[in-house]
Amino acid sequence: MAQAAEGEKPREEEEHEEEVMHACEYKTGKGMEGKAVLVVGSGNSGMEIAYDLAEAGAATSIIVRSEGLFGCYQKFANDICDVSPCDQGDLERGDDAIQIHTPAYPVVDVGTYAKIKTGEIQVLPAMKTVDGNVVEFADGKRHPFDAIVFATGYRSTTKKWLKSDDGLIGEDGMARRSYPEHWKGENGLYCAGMVRRGLYGSCEDAESIAEDISKKKKKPDQA
C-alpha cells in the first residue's frame, strides 16, 4: 500500500499563506527569473526545488538546519556556511547503519551541491520569524524574499481515505505496530515504509511483502 501525503505546514507558513507555498504546490521555476526565493528545508524536495529555481535564474537561498546526508557521501560541514565533500569514513556511522537506524532519507544530489559551492545557491541558518516578505534568521540577519517555498515534510493522509485497515494503520497514518511486525495486515493488506526506517526499511518491507505474496500464490503441491 502506497501512502498518500499532504504538505505539512509549519506555523510560519500558516500565518502567511498568501506569500508562500508548500513543496507539494511547487510546479516549476519558470517565471522566477531574477526573483529572490527562499527554500525552507534541505531534504530531497528542498534540494531539488532549489536546483530548479537556480536553473531558472532565481536568486535562490536554502535553509539548512541540520547536517544533510548525500547519496554520493557529500554533506554540509558543521559550519552551516561551509560546504565540503566527505567520504564514508567521515560519517559517524557507515552508510548501512545510517539507512537502518535513522528515519532521515539520504539526499540524492541532482546538482545542488555544485551550485552551493559556486555561490549560485546561498545557504542560510534556521528561520526565526517572518514579517511579510522579510525573514529574520537565527543569526539575527534579515533578508527580503519575493517567494518562500516550504519543503518541510508531509503528513500521511492514509486514515482519511482507507475505510478499514484492521488495525494496520495508526491514527498518525503510519504503521500501528512496531518493527518488525508492522508490514502485514489482514485480507491481503500490507504497508511498506511506514515505520520511519528510511530507504533501507522501505526496501526491507517490500521484500517481506513480495515474499509473503509469493508464498500465497504457490500451489499446494509446490509448497
Side-chain angles (χ1 to χ4, degrees), residues 13-83:
E13 183 177 358
E14 292 173 349
E15 294 175 355
H16 301 275
E17 290 194 43
E18 72 281 3
E19 301 168 354
V20 302
M21 70 179 76
H22 188 270
C24 64
E25 302 169 297
Y26 180 86
K27 303 299 182 184
T28 177
K30 292 181 180 179
M32 292 291 189
E33 183 178 0
K35 294 184 178 181
V37 185
L38 175 65
V39 179
V40 183
S42 56
N44 280 293
S45 295
M47 296 292 279
E48 290 180 16
I49 289 172
Y51 176 83
D52 187 61
L53 286 165
E55 283 285 281
T60 308
S61 299
I62 186 169
I63 287 179
V64 180
R65 294 179 294 180
S66 60
E67 181 182 277
L69 297 176
F70 290 80
C72 55
Y73 301 121
Q74 293 174 332
K75 67 175 181 178
F76 294 108
N78 290 331
D79 180 354
I80 202 164
C81 295
D82 178 30
V83 182

Side-chain angles (χ1 to χ4, degrees), residues 4 22 34 44 57 59 77 107 127 139 148 156 159 162 169 176 191 196 213 218:
H22 188 270
N44 280 293
V107 175
M127 173 187 293
D139 59 4
I148 303 175
S156 171
K159 294 294 285 188
L162 186 62
I169 307 300
R176 183 183 297 275
C191 67
R196 297 184 174 90
I213 293 173
K218 284 184 178 180

